[in-house]
């Protein structure tokens, strides 16, 4: 067999165009077996399009991708046998029960008949739905449907599990619940996971993340390394005279400060060491100080020049002039 | 290869309430909002869930055993087709209301329109020569039941696409042909079952419950259902939106129904209409059923000749076997076409 066990996903200069629109503009990356790799990017960045290419649902315009050692164009059947998928939008049959949905999947994937019952119980207990197995999916909450889909994705023991925005549209409580399951899975199954998200805090769960914006990978590393690469901490101070504080920061420390939400904000390396100096050398009373370690928001800002929310807002405008683009989503 | 190595996971038991690693040093407030709840919040959350995942811990400590999955063998394809077929049946029997409502239309046609027309039609014939017009309409109405049920089942693919379930099927490691075949046989079975209910009403319109006739009708119904489901699947491959379904109904399904001679005899039509009936595949499905019915009712020869006039090509009467052969062949062509369409990839 061609897989050597160390690289689960290998992508080289993958492109996808829809007519004029280039949704994915040449991405390259590797995911090691057992790793949890995340695509972080705003709406329309090309995350789902990349996943669709990796799981053989759409054909790349150009470039090459291997999943579990098999080419996603030439060896589609081999790839399909080895992957599990949780799509961005639900793909359950609402009119079947939870168990029937899973049985359908087991039959389709040829899970040996003798194993089906036992496996069904294991994966359903894993996501806490065993007691609800005979409930119609129609009667399930969004979080329950998501968990059922995760269970289904695992039913045939895939090598690589793709999770496209596993928690989108769920309330924060349910999101963290889903993440608890995903984190358990990582540890108990040593499965390779490829997931996408546009929640910064969720990207923290990944071993490595790639920030993808407008069809391109902007930067790729561990969340810690990315935050460290930003280098500086954000410091916010409150004083009675904001203008004077800004002037004095410039004068005494050579720092460019701005005002955001009433606080004087500036960036400095090793904020916790800087603050004592600030107190010693500042000429007016400081009412409060806050130091922020760089967050993934700051990382996104540093590498793309805007916040992820700005990126989504501008996309909404772009798509407003192309309403059919959104209407096309989720087809196939 | 060694499947095992991939699954040789650590035996760590991981609690559902594992907190996030504290991402931030303790020197200041935390930039990221702490959306991750504390241990206690998580346990409370779990306690409130209708189905508690707590007992899942020991399952998680043992990694899932790997299983062999489908491998492109014929057996796998048959298994896939079977489950797609079974899903159609489950959905059919679960939706009793649909079974009931799809009977309303044929019953209205047969007993209201049929009875209304009957009095008019018998008046136009000399005394002693009479026939229940509903007997004539019966095969047409059975055909109609099959037509609408089969198309509706096939076009449910559009809903599957809309609600995502189609993708669950398309990404499976089985041939698309298996999926399409399963869907087609499922739709055909459902349409045949629905037609059974209409066939049960035969006695009410003076069609005898002769076993030979009933078996013939069931067989012909099943073949018709197969053709029409295949046609429906080809259309479904083309329809990207649920809203377009109306267009298909108005411009494809209703014309197929009206041009098939389900409601009027094929004889003595103006040329334009006669030609249209000959290109409507449903005509070749209804005609054999009608011929079968008229073989089993005692109608005066003149009326039988008038009403049960068989399909002709240029004056040549088509044998029933040829008609059924055409239906089957067209069904297979449509099925092949559907497989091609669903095997395409953007
Ligand atoms: N079938 C399609 N036809 C035309 N354009 C498409 C199609 N699918 C996606 N696109 C476009 O490709 C771009 C990338 O879409 P994609 O769904 O991959 O984004 P995403 O990163 O998954 O976004 P989101 O966070 O909203 O899910 C978008 O501009 C989208 O409109
Ligand atoms: Mg997406």
């Amino acid at each position: 067999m061609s897989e050597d066990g160390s690289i689960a996903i290998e992508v080289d200069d993958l492109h996808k165009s829809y007519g004029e629109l280039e949704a994915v503009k040449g991405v390259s990356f590797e995911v090691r077996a057992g790793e949890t790799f995340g695509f972080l990017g705003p709406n329309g960045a090309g995350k789902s399009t990349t996943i669709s290419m990796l799981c053989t649902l759409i054909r790349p315009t150009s470039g090459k991708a291997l999943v579990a050692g098999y080419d996603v164009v030439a060896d589609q059947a081999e790839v399909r046998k080895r992957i599990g998928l949780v799509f961005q939008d639900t793909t359950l049959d609402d009119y079947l029960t939870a168990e029937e949905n899973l049985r359908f999947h087991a039959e389709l994937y040829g899970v040996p008949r003798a194993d089906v019952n036992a496996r069904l119980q294991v994966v359903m207990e894993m996501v806490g739905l065993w007691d609800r197995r005979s409930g119609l999916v129609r009667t399930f909450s969004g979080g329950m449907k998501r968990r059922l889909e995760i269970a289904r994705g695992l039913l045939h023991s895939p090598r690589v599990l793709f999770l496209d925005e596993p928690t989108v549209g769920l309330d924060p409580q349910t999101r963290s619940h889903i993440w608890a399951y995903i984190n358990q899975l990582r540890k108990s199954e040593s499965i390779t996971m490829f997931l996408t998200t546009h929640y910064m805090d969720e990207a923290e769960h990944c071993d490595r993340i790639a920030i993808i914006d407008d069809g391109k990978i902007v930067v790729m590393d561990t969340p810690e390394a990315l935050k460290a690469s930003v280098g500086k901490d954000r410091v916010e101070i409150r004083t009675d005279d904001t203008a004077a504080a800004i002037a004095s920061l410039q004068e005494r420390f050579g720092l460019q400060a701005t005002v955001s939400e009433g606080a004087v904000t500036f960036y400095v390396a090793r904020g916790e060491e800087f603050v004592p100096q600030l107190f010693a050398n500042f000429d007016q009373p400081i009412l409060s100080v806050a130091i922020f370690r760089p967050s993934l928001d700051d990382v996104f800002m540093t590498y793309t020049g805007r916040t992820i929310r700005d990126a989504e807002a501008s996309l909404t405008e772009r798509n407003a002039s192309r309403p059919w683009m959104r209407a096309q989503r989720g087809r196939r | 290869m060694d499947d095992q190595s991939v699954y040789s996971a650590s035996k760590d038991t991981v609690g559902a309430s594992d907190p996030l690693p504290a991402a931030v040093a303790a020197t200041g407030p935390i930039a990221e909002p702490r959306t991750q709840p504390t241990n206690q919040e998580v346990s409370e959350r779990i306690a409130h869930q209708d189905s508690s995942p707590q007992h899942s811990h020991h399952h998680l400590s043992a990694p899932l055993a790997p299983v062999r999955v489908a491998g492109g063998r014929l057996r796998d394809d048959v298994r896939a087709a079977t489950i797609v077929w079974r899903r159609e049946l489950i959905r059919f029997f679960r939706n009793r209301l649909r079974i009931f409502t799809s009977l309303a239309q044929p019953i209205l046609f047969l007993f209201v329109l049929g009875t209304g027309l009957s009095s008019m039609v018998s008046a136009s014939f000399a005394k002693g020569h009479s026939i229940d017009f509903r007997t004539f309409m019966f095969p047409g109405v059975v055909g109609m039941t099959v037509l609408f049920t089969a198309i509706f089942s096939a076009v449910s693919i559009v809903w599957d696409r809309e609600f995502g379930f189609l993708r669950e099927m398309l990404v499976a490691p089985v041939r698309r042909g298996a999926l399409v075949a399963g869907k087609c046989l499922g739709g055909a079975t459902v349409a045949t079952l629905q037609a059974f209910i209409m066939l049960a009403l035969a006695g009410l319109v003076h069609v005898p419950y002769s076993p030979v006739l009933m078996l013939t009708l069931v067989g012909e119904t099943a073949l018709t259902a197969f053709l029409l489901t295949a046609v429906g699947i080809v259309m479904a491959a083309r329809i990207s939106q649920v809203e377009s379904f109306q267009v298909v109904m108005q411009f494809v399904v209703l014309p197929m129904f009206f041009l098939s001679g389900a409601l009027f005899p094929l004889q003595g039509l103006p040329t334009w209409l006669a030609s249209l009936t000959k290109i409507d595949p449903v005509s070749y499905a209804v005609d054999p059923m009608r011929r079968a019915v008229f073989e089993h009712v005692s109608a005066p020869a003149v009326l039988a000749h008038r009403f049960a006039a068989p399909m002709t090509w240029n004056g040549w009467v088509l044998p029933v076997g040829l008609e059924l052969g055409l239906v089957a062949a067209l069904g297979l062509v449509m099925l092949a076409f559907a497989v091609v369409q669903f095997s395409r990839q953007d």
Side-chain angles (χ1 to χ4, degrees):
Chain A
M1 182 172 275
S2 56
E3 64 214 277
D4 59 10
S6 61
I7 302 294
I9 308 176
E10 205 177 333
V11 177
D12 186 25
D13 199 26
L14 208 58
H15 286 258
K16 179 68 190 180
S17 300
Y18 292 107
E20 295 278 276
L21 179 101
E22 204 177 354
V24 176
K25 301 176 178 169
V27 298
S28 304
F29 59 92
E30 278 182 4
V31 181
R32 289 185 301 277
E35 194 178 18
T36 298
F37 184 84
F39 253 22
L40 172 68
N43 289 138
K47 303 183 296 293
S48 298
T49 307
T50 307
I51 285 204
S52 296
M53 288 191 279
L54 294 183
C55 66
T56 76
L57 267 176
I58 61 176
R59 184 180 284 270
T61 310
S62 69
K64 191 170 162 65
L66 301 182
V67 174
Y70 291 94
D71 190 291
V72 298
V73 177
D75 300 314
Q76 286 187 15
E78 298 301 319
V79 172
R80 287 180 184 175
K81 279 186 232 173
R82 290 169 176 78
I83 59 173
L85 264 164
V86 177
F87 293 99
Q88 183 167 356
D89 2 59
T90 37
T91 58
L92 296 165
D93 186 337
D94 273 6
Y95 289 87
L96 298 185
T97 65
E99 184 177 341
E100 284 166 346
N101 266 287
L102 295 200
R103 284 195 185 279
F104 185 94
H105 188 87
E107 293 293 307
L108 220 49
Y109 281 74
V111 176
R113 287 221 166 78
D115 298 347
V116 172
N117 287 338
R119 261 197 97 74
L120 215 67
Q121 181 165 0
V122 171
V123 295
M124 286 186 113
E125 284 184 343
M126 184 183 285
V127 298
L129 286 175
W130 179 240
D131 300 336
R132 294 295 300 265
R133 61 188 177 279
S134 16
L136 284 185
V137 171
R138 197 152 44 113
T139 64
F140 281 16
S141 70
M144 289 163 77
K145 287 185 185 178
R146 220 64 188 130
R147 275 146 53 197
L148 183 61
E149 291 191 299
I150 292 174
R152 186 178 65 179
L154 292 168
L155 194 58
H156 58 284
S157 326
R159 300 296 192 78
V160 183
L161 182 64
F162 290 94
L163 298 156
D164 196 359
E165 312 221 8
T167 60
V168 76
L170 302 178
D171 61 72
Q173 291 274 290
T174 315
R175 275 174 55 192
S176 69
H177 198 188
I178 298 275
W179 271 105
Y181 284 117
I182 294 177
N183 282 331
Q184 287 174 54
L185 261 180
R186 286 168 66 181
K187 298 187 185 156
S188 65
E189 296 296 309
S190 67
I191 194 173
T192 308
M193 286 204 251
F194 181 102
L195 57 93
T196 75
T197 177
H198 59 247
Y199 297 120
M200 294 292 176
D201 52 316
E202 294 195 337
E204 306 270 5
H205 295 264
C206 301
D207 296 325
R208 277 192 311 139
I209 56 177
I211 291 186
I212 177 167
D213 187 28
D214 195 23
K216 290 184 294 263
I217 292 182
V218 185
V219 62
M220 176 162 53
D221 213 326
T222 63
E224 289 67 34
L226 284 177
K227 284 184 281 189
S229 76
V230 171
K232 293 180 173 173
D233 296 339
R234 181 158 48 98
V235 182
E236 290 183 7
I237 58 172
R238 285 176 196 275
T239 60
D240 288 325
D241 187 345
T242 319
I246 290 176
S248 140
L249 279 167
Q250 168 71 46
E251 195 180 304
R252 294 179 189 231
F253 304 98
L255 290 170
Q256 292 288 335
T258 53
V259 184
S260 96
E261 289 168 14
V264 176
T265 306
F266 54 91
Y267 290 87
V268 66
R270 277 194 288 278
E272 70 279 15
E273 291 173 17
F274 172 75
V275 167
Q277 292 180 45
L278 179 70
F279 277 99
N281 297 308
F282 213 53
D283 51 2
Q284 43 173 302
I286 297 172
L287 305 178
S288 75
V289 177
I291 306 172
F292 298 90
R293 283 278 182 255
S295 66
L296 283 175
D297 278 293
D298 298 320
V299 175
F300 192 87
M301 177 77 179
T302 307
Y303 287 99
T304 68
R306 59 211 170 121
T307 67
I308 199 161
R309 280 167 295 280
D310 290 341
E312 310 214 319
S314 76
L315 182 101
T316 317
E317 277 162 35
R318 255 202 294 150
N319 274 358
S321 57
R322 279 203 313 258
W324 63 91
M325 289 298 178
R326 285 282 118 172
Q328 282 296 320
R329 296 206 38 249
R331 305 267 172 250
R332 286 247 89 192
Chain B
M1 57 143 276
D2 59 353
D3 266 311
Q4 297 303 330
S5 68
V6 177
Y7 295 94
S8 60
S10 69
K11 300 281 179 210
D12 293 354
T13 300
V14 184
S17 51
D18 262 5
L20 260 185
V24 187
T27 46
I30 299 162
E32 304 90 16
R34 277 193 47 111
T35 47
Q36 194 74 8
T38 63
N39 283 3
Q40 197 191 345
E41 284 166 349
V42 170
S43 356
E44 276 166 15
R45 168 75 180 160
I46 288 169
H48 286 127
Q49 289 283 322
D50 25 25
S51 40
S52 157
Q54 272 141 353
H55 56 269
S56 67
H57 291 188
H58 70 275
H59 287 282
L60 285 167
S61 59
L64 290 171
V67 294
R68 194 201 61 79
V69 291
R73 295 170 310 173
L74 182 64
R75 215 175 72 196
D76 295 319
D77 286 330
V78 169
R79 218 176 143 192
T82 309
I83 192 68
V84 173
W85 173 80
R86 273 205 14 222
R87 168 174 177 250
E88 291 299 306
L89 292 193
I90 293 176
R91 287 178 58 122
F92 175 75
F93 285 113
R94 197 155 285 166
N95 197 345
R96 305 247 164 69
L97 190 65
R98 189 186 126 199
I99 301 179
F100 184 72
T101 51
S102 23
L103 281 178
Q105 191 176 327
I107 285 179
L108 283 175
F109 266 84
L110 189 58
F111 292 101
V112 177
L113 183 67
T115 309
L117 289 179
S118 258
S119 55
M120 188 182 76
V121 171
S122 22
S124 65
F125 285 101
K127 279 200 186 65
H129 296 289
S130 85
I131 182 174
D132 190 342
F133 189 67
R134 293 173 305 185
T135 309
F136 165 81
M137 272 179 73
F138 182 70
V141 169
V142 172
M144 166 179 167
T145 311
V146 174
L147 174 65
F148 286 101
T149 317
I151 297 283
F152 191 85
S153 295
V155 172
S156 68
I157 291 178
V158 179
W159 271 265
D160 282 345
R161 186 183 285 126
E162 188 84 3
F163 296 112
F165 195 74
L166 186 64
R167 253 180 308 167
E168 150 78 355
M169 293 194 263
L170 292 183
V171 80
V174 291
R175 271 185 276 269
R176 297 280 161 88
L179 302 176
V180 174
K183 183 80 188 175
C184 189
L185 293 178
T189 309
V190 163
T192 308
L193 289 176
Q194 185 87 42
F196 273 175
I197 307 180
M198 288 310 294
L199 288 176
L201 303 179
L204 298 177
V205 295
H206 308 114
V207 174
Y209 292 111
S210 132
V212 178
L213 174 61
M214 285 299 137
L215 280 178
T216 311
L217 288 179
V218 167
E220 289 171 348
T221 300
L223 198 59
T224 310
F226 165 71
L227 165 68
L228 294 172
T229 314
V231 169
I233 294 176
V234 170
M235 293 191 304
R238 295 270 153 163
I239 309 176
S240 56
Q241 288 162 31
V242 169
E243 298 81 58
S244 319
F245 182 59
Q246 271 307 315
V247 179
V248 169
M249 283 308 281
Q250 300 300 325
F251 290 96
V252 183
V253 181
L254 287 179
M256 282 210 299
F257 169 57
F258 279 106
L259 293 174
S260 67
L263 299 178
F264 51 78
L266 291 174
Q267 207 201 37
L269 300 172
T271 327
W272 66 269
L273 185 52
S275 331
L276 286 177
T277 59
K278 289 188 205 317
I279 59 170
D280 180 356
V282 183
S283 305
Y284 299 92
V286 171
D287 192 51
M289 288 196 237
R290 176 158 301 135
R291 282 155 82 167
V293 167
F294 272 82
E295 271 167 27
H296 288 82
V297 295
S298 46
V302 51
L303 291 184
H305 178 70
R306 174 76 183 86
F307 281 99
M311 173 62 88
T312 56
W313 279 353
N314 217 354
W316 175 62
V317 176
L318 267 72
V320 168
L322 178 61
E323 287 183 305
L324 295 177
L326 282 175
V327 170
L330 186 61
L332 289 175
V333 169
M334 285 293 163
L335 188 63
F337 193 48
V339 172
V340 171
Q341 282 186 310
F342 277 99
S343 304
R344 271 186 340 206
Q345 208 191 14
D346 348 290

